Amino acid sequence: KLTTNSNDVLEEIPDDFPPVSYENGESLLNPEDVAENTCLNSRPSANEGSAGGVTYEIVDVPYFGGNTNVVRYGDNTSIRFRYYGDAPIGTTYGSAFYVLMDDGSEPVIGVNDGVGIDFYLRVGGSLYDPSSIIITPIPSTNWYRIFVIGTSAAVANRTGILKGTTGSAKGFIATQFDLTNTTAPSSPIHTTGSALTRQPDSITNIGRAELFNSDEGIIDLKMILKKGDSTRRISLSDGSNTTNIELFLIPDDNKIALFFTKLGGGFVSSGLFPLGSTDWVRVRAKYKNLDFALEIGGVEVWSNTSYLMNKTNPFTVFNFALGGGSNPVFGKFKDLTIYKDITSY
């Protein structure tokens, strides 16, 4: 029975541990976990890039659990910038951070410096995709989380926030920088030193052989899906999209299906079933050759005894996404348990 994973070490957690939530990339972990699990904004190291015209402070931010390292950007009397990651040339990355404007307003973000612009952004020294920007207000605060996508094409270690002399005179502070090799928003996660790039959230068997059973098992979790997406996935796989057990999610319709790759190629689908509630719903998926089932809210809605799984490679990764990392899901999840046999179904 697997209950959680911390640095690839399995451990039991108490029943009252708060759920993990992925809502537009927002992680609603304990405040101390959020503060602990992101870049803490020391002066950038050489391969993170450089900084200029900014200062470094510690500010009491209750949302992040208290004293928080921040980068302060002043007014528009000089050019100010802070880079925070290495995006190899030719690669597409997601860049995210939290910002608080001095006047508490929603930031005005530009592709370049300009009249009325509070600041502008770069990914690998290049312009970001304006259509990709997501500005998420943090409830009961004046903080915002910013997420953009860009393809690094100029200078790999110039990903960051810049403020010019033409834009607004408003100052602001920024914190919790995150640079991710994915094109969808991800929850903040701890990074060490300048190693700011990471894969989407997953549990792997690194350092522990046969963490998952490729022959049989049960995926058991509770969820609340976040509307705003057509197709999202949760999977147990070999790290690709060709050998997996998959929960196929339609958040906008609050529906779910069980998918798996079958021997000989192709997928088997249970068909879509409603979760039946916008509150916490328990979902269980059973997999074994000639014995598959999907249960929602304690009721078995589908079963199949006709197919064999494609098991070319063993299961090594549990993802809140497809095995290859695409189609990441946003919502709230708790009580995740992965069983290595089906006896408890």
Side-chain angles (χ1 to χ4, degrees), residues 25-199:
E26 184 60 40
S27 176
L28 302 183
L29 296 171
N30 283 331
E32 59 265 29
D33 291 331
V34 174
E36 184 93 12
N37 291 338
T38 47
C39 176
L40 296 181
N41 310 318
S42 59
R43 290 166 179 77
S45 61
N47 62 332
E48 282 185 305
S50 56
V54 297
T55 57
Y56 301 88
E57 301 178 8
I58 297 177
V59 175
D60 181 15
V61 185
Y63 180 74
F64 297 125
N67 288 339
T68 301
N69 295 301
V70 303
V71 179
R72 179 168 293 282
Y73 288 70
D75 60 19
N76 59 355
T77 55
S78 64
I79 296 175
R80 308 178 191 279
F81 62 95
R82 200 287 194 186
Y83 297 125
Y84 53 84
D86 191 352
I89 300 298
T91 56
T92 300
Y93 277 74
S95 173
F97 57 92
Y98 291 83
V99 65
L100 173 66
M101 302 301 299
D102 286 351
D103 64 356
S105 62
E106 179 175 328
V108 179
I109 305 170
V111 176
N112 286 301
D113 189 22
V115 175
I117 299 298
D118 292 325
F119 54 84
Y120 57 106
L121 309 172
R122 290 290 181 266
V123 177
S126 305
L127 304 180
Y128 69 92
D129 176 5
S131 67
S132 73
I133 193 165
I134 298 175
I135 302 176
T136 305
I138 306 305
S140 304
T141 77
N142 290 323
W143 284 90
Y144 291 83
R145 189 170 195 244
I146 315 300
F147 175 86
V148 296
I149 294 169
T151 299
S152 177
V155 182
N157 62 3
R158 290 187 181 175
T159 296
I161 311 167
L162 302 90
K163 182 173 181 63
T165 57
T166 304
S168 78
K170 296 178 185 177
F172 60 92
I173 55 176
T175 189
Q176 315 294 328
F177 301 124
D178 195 24
L179 180 61
T180 312
N181 51 349
T182 181
T183 56
S186 298
S187 62
I189 196 167
H190 176 64
T191 54
T192 301
S194 61
L196 291 180
T197 58
R198 65 181 180 87
Q199 296 290 338

Side-chain angles (χ1 to χ4, degrees), residues 256 270-271 273-274 293-296 299-303 345:
I256 190 170
S270 66
F273 293 90
L294 176 65
E295 181 185 285
I296 301 174
V299 177
E300 186 174 275
V301 296
W302 178 84
S303 63
Y345 183 80

